Amino acid sequence: MFLANKGKAFCVELGEHSVLVARLNQAEAPMVIEELKELPAADTDGLRDLMKAMEGRGPTGYAHSTCGIYPARRMVRRQTLDLKRVKEPAYFNEILSQQFRIEPEKYTVMVLNSGDGSEYDGAKGTLKEVLFCGLPAEEIVATQDRLLELGIYPERLEMGTVATMGALASYLKFKQSKAAILLLEIGADATQSFIVSADGVDISRPIPTGIAAMIPVVQKELTLKDEESAKKLFYSNTFDFTSMGAKLIGKLLKELQASIGFYEVQTGQSISSVLCTQLPAQLGWLATSMANELHVDPFKMEAAPWLESLDIRLADGVTLNPPDERWLGLFALAADYNHGVVQPTSDEKK
């Protein structure tokens, strides 16, 4: 993370359901995380008050921050390029319009190498596995406006999905793990799914179903009068839905099994665990249900040793609300992977 101002710095992850905030003693490693906060994304007044109360705001009154965002229409797609065509001016726009079904002129897009996340060099055109990452230009403007309203000046905007995948790959490399992780961002109407390893992003697939598709199942199973009642109960955290987990995720599960099957045939490797991010705390059980139905374990991480390898540490008295995995995307905004990495000790290797 590189910010223009010296001294205190902030990282903000603006998710669909919650906002995570970190206050840092300085913008570059070695750094100390002095404060961590979490608030519901809908609590605009609370967020504004939080940013006003935090020390380290600049003379403008804004907290200059690196921000990770998750717009609903974000696009992160792995693609194999035809190296014979990469220098054609219209080639990338053709992929965007014909394969990804988006209007290129309305999107801001960057092409990255799928292995290390570096910007793709079209002039060289020697690597064919890439990630197309983008979002509508109008959503960038809307997000910037919202951040300013919250008292946050976005020094840099990052797509949270890409930052999280980079952090996950970094963590697996630090652990010297050969595992392949299924990363899921389950939203209201769609799910972003990826298979990530220490070598980068192996598979990406958007799935047009999410939490909203589970509400009619809740209504039917509990014989409730309407979907609104089912939705309120589903998000209320007053009812244990674990027993009907398989039915609730049935549609999503079929799509994921197809992706996993393709991956296993192509690579001969199986996924070892599943990581669900961007879920509200009360729906955390969905991650466990997903892991159970896929017959793998929920992904678990120990954040502190990995952060220390990147010269990032938590100040005395600062603790993570478990599980550690929930903070991965936020820490990704602070991490500089070019910083010297300390190898894990033998008992940390997996």
Side-chain angles (χ1 to χ4, degrees):
M1 181 187 68
F2 302 96
L3 301 184
N5 59 311
K6 301 296 182 180
K8 305 290 184 181
F10 295 86
C11 293
V12 179
E13 183 180 59
L14 195 68
E16 185 174 348
H17 301 286
S18 62
V19 177
L20 304 180
V21 181
R23 176 168 56 86
L24 315 171
N25 71 320
Q26 59 184 27
E28 299 177 13
M31 64 176 65
V32 178
I33 297 175
E34 298 179 332
E35 191 173 3
L36 288 172
K37 293 291 184 181
E38 177 180 6
L39 284 174
D43 187 4
T44 300
D45 290 339
L47 284 167
R48 191 181 293 113
D49 292 343
L50 171 65
M51 299 315 296
K52 284 181 180 178
M54 276 191 159
E55 296 179 7
R57 290 177 295 130
T60 60
Y62 289 96
H64 289 240
S65 310
T66 294
C67 301
I69 60 174
Y70 297 82
R73 291 188 289 165
R74 66 191 180 278
M75 174 200 67
V76 182
R77 300 287 295 275
R78 191 177 190 271
Q79 176 70 17
T80 301
L81 297 177
D82 180 349
L83 294 182
K84 296 178 181 179
R85 298 193 60 197
V86 293
K87 294 182 181 180
E88 294 179 17
Y91 179 49
F92 282 5
N93 278 354
E94 181 182 307
I95 292 174
L96 293 172
S97 59
Q98 295 185 11
Q99 298 196 39
F100 303 156
R101 305 297 183 187
I102 68 169
E103 299 176 79
E105 65 276 8
K106 294 184 178 181
Y107 269 66
T108 298
V109 177
M110 178 169 283
V111 183
L112 307 176
N113 295 310
S114 65
D116 61 9
S118 60
E119 188 172 355
Y120 182 73
D121 187 345
K124 291 182 179 179
T126 55
L127 298 175
K128 64 179 182 178
E129 302 300 334
V130 300
L131 289 176
F132 280 80
C133 309
L135 65 161
E138 64 182 18
E139 289 200 21
I140 297 177
V141 174
T143 300
Q144 289 174 325
D145 288 345
R146 186 187 174 203
L147 287 166
L148 290 172
E149 288 175 2
L150 295 171
I152 300 167
Y153 183 88
E155 289 272 3
R156 191 173 77 205
L157 281 177
E158 293 193 19
M159 196 178 299
T161 300
V162 178
T164 299
M165 290 193 295
L168 181 55
S170 169
Y171 179 81
L172 293 173
K173 189 174 293 185
F174 167 72
K175 299 293 285 187
Q176 298 184 359
S177 171
K178 297 185 181 301
I181 311 298
L182 176 64
L183 171 65
L184 300 177
E185 294 176 348
I186 306 175
D189 301 309
T191 298
Q192 303 276 349
S193 69
F194 309 91
I195 295 179
V196 181
S197 68
D199 295 325
V201 182
D202 297 322
I203 279 183
S204 70
R205 186 184 177 194
I207 300 174
T209 186
I211 295 173
M214 303 177 191
I215 304 304
V217 181
V218 172
Q219 181 190 0
K220 180 180 178 181
E221 291 295 316
L222 299 181
T223 60
L224 299 174
K225 62 179 182 178
D226 53 40
E227 288 190 9
E228 187 59 32
S229 300
K231 183 177 181 179
K232 288 181 180 178
L233 181 62
F234 191 61
Y235 282 98
S236 68
N237 206 23
T238 59
F239 186 87
D240 186 359
F241 288 96
T242 307
S243 61
M244 66 175 74
K247 293 181 179 179
L248 292 172
I249 64 175
K251 185 176 180 181
L252 178 58
L253 189 64
K254 289 180 181 179
E255 299 283 354
L256 291 172
Q257 287 170 332
S259 293
I260 293 169
F262 174 79
Y263 174 77
E264 292 176 342
V265 169
Q266 291 292 107
T267 66
Q269 183 178 2
S270 300
I271 65 165
S272 63
S273 56
V274 60
L275 170 61
C276 296
T277 66
Q278 298 304 303
L279 285 174
Q282 65 269 33
L283 298 185
W285 56 269
L286 272 175
T288 302
S289 294
M290 186 66 68
N292 289 340
E293 294 303 314
L294 291 172
H295 306 292
V296 297
D297 295 323
F299 175 73
K300 299 295 181 184
M301 73 174 289
E302 297 173 285
W306 170 65
L307 288 172
E308 288 171 6
S309 78
L310 298 171
D311 261 349
I312 302 172
R313 68 177 181 85
L314 301 178
D316 293 341
V318 176
T319 58
L320 301 180
N321 292 330
D324 287 11
E325 303 80 53
R326 295 180 59 246
W327 301 89
L328 184 62
L330 179 69
F331 293 146
L333 301 175
D336 175 6
Y337 305 120
N338 294 317
H339 206 72
V341 176
V342 179
Q343 292 298 319
T345 58
S346 57
D347 61 342
E348 289 174 331
K349 296 178 183 179
K350 288 188 178 180

